Amino acid sequence: MSLIEPERYFSRISMIDIQKDIVDAGFSHVLLDIDNTIFTRDTHEVPRDVAFWLSKARSAGITFCLVSNNWHEGVYELAGKLDLPIVAKAVKPLPPAFLIALRKIDAKRANTLMIGDQLITDVLGAHFLGMTAYLLQPLVEQDLKHTLMLRNVEKVFMRDREPEGAAGGLADVPVGSQPAAGGLADVPAGAQPVTAAREGGD
């Protein structure tokens, strides 16, 4: 497998089976990108299925650290609302921020998974350190100009590879409805998306 090819590719984070794809795969820690991975670039919120997935994963014993190239205060505000540690201004794919994040959550590379929506920053950065990386489709098409340019590079590497779970995304599943696989069945009625300040970055 090449440095820039993800081990798995999913339509969104809530399509990752916490038990089978993370715990049973030997991971107890996750480094997690923010923009368009768990936080939409258009409405600036964490969708409810994503927030529920994070809660469910933490209940399963998974420890998270946010790792973002974003340098604005909004990402710190979001980290506070989610009660998660963060390494911002990360300059991914360079290794230092990944190593800082591992120390923050007392993790080893072998038992830590990177999840993000970009090949050049998230996947390549994880692979530089010998870590496993799962790629996600971006939550929305809206993004920064330089990120959109990088998407064209990504298409070359991903070719016609289809993301797992693409046939039935959970973005608009009504609260309380039955998900396709380990998703929103237990979402409490009235659950709301998590929002944060509308600031730039990536």
Side-chain angles (χ1 to χ4, degrees), residues 35-107:
D35 289 320
N36 263 344
T37 293
I38 62 169
F39 187 69
T40 61
R41 291 286 304 165
D42 56 355
T43 59
H44 297 267
E45 65 182 25
V46 177
R48 60 185 178 180
D49 68 299
V50 175
F52 177 64
W53 185 92
L54 287 170
S55 176
K56 191 174 178 182
R58 294 173 79 176
S59 295
I62 304 299
T63 302
F64 289 91
C65 184
L66 302 175
V67 184
S68 175
N69 284 353
N70 196 313
W71 60 89
H72 295 284
E73 288 300 316
V75 291
Y76 296 100
E77 177 188 339
L78 178 65
K81 288 183 177 181
L82 295 175
D83 192 25
L84 292 175
I86 183 172
V87 178
K89 307 175 186 178
V91 200
K92 295 178 292 183
L94 298 181
F98 291 88
L99 296 173
I100 292 170
L102 290 172
R103 288 197 296 270
K104 275 180 175 275
I105 56 176
D106 195 25

Side-chain angles (χ1 to χ4, degrees), residues 4-194:
I4 205 167
E5 183 180 358
E7 280 77 6
R8 302 281 295 276
Y9 178 36
F10 295 89
S11 59
R12 62 194 290 124
I13 201 168
S14 52
M15 298 311 297
I16 299 175
D17 187 297
I18 295 164
Q19 185 63 44
K20 293 181 180 178
D21 300 327
I22 299 182
V23 177
D24 291 351
F27 303 111
S28 53
H29 301 76
V30 171
L31 303 187
L32 189 61
D33 177 54
I34 295 178
D35 289 320
N36 263 344
T37 293
I38 62 169
F39 187 69
T40 61
R41 291 286 304 165
D42 56 355
T43 59
H44 297 267
E45 65 182 25
V46 177
R48 60 185 178 180
D49 68 299
V50 175
F52 177 64
W53 185 92
L54 287 170
S55 176
K56 191 174 178 182
R58 294 173 79 176
S59 295
I62 304 299
T63 302
F64 289 91
C65 184
L66 302 175
V67 184
S68 175
N69 284 353
N70 196 313
W71 60 89
H72 295 284
E73 288 300 316
V75 291
Y76 296 100
E77 177 188 339
L78 178 65
K81 288 183 177 181
L82 295 175
D83 192 25
L84 292 175
I86 183 172
V87 178
K89 307 175 186 178
V91 200
K92 295 178 292 183
L94 298 181
F98 291 88
L99 296 173
I100 292 170
L102 290 172
R103 288 197 296 270
K104 275 180 175 275
I105 56 176
D106 195 25
K108 304 295 183 184
R109 301 181 201 183
N111 64 6
T112 304
L113 172 68
M114 176 70 207
I115 300 177
D117 72 304
Q118 292 191 55
L119 286 177
I120 306 299
T121 56
D122 303 311
V123 174
L124 185 59
H127 286 173
F128 276 154
L129 293 173
M131 293 168 52
T132 298
Y134 289 174
L135 180 70
L136 305 180
Q137 277 190 316
L139 284 172
V140 295
E141 292 184 2
Q142 181 176 323
D143 222 321
L144 299 175
K145 289 183 179 179
H146 68 272
T147 302
L148 290 173
M149 287 190 291
L150 288 176
R151 298 290 183 204
N152 293 322
V153 177
E154 292 180 354
K155 289 176 183 178
V156 174
F157 287 95
M158 297 304 289
R159 297 178 292 277
D160 297 322
R161 184 169 172 180
E162 287 293 320
E164 301 174 48
L170 299 180
D172 299 314
V173 176
V175 170
S177 65
Q178 184 66 32
L184 294 176
D186 300 317
V187 174
Q192 296 297 319
V194 178

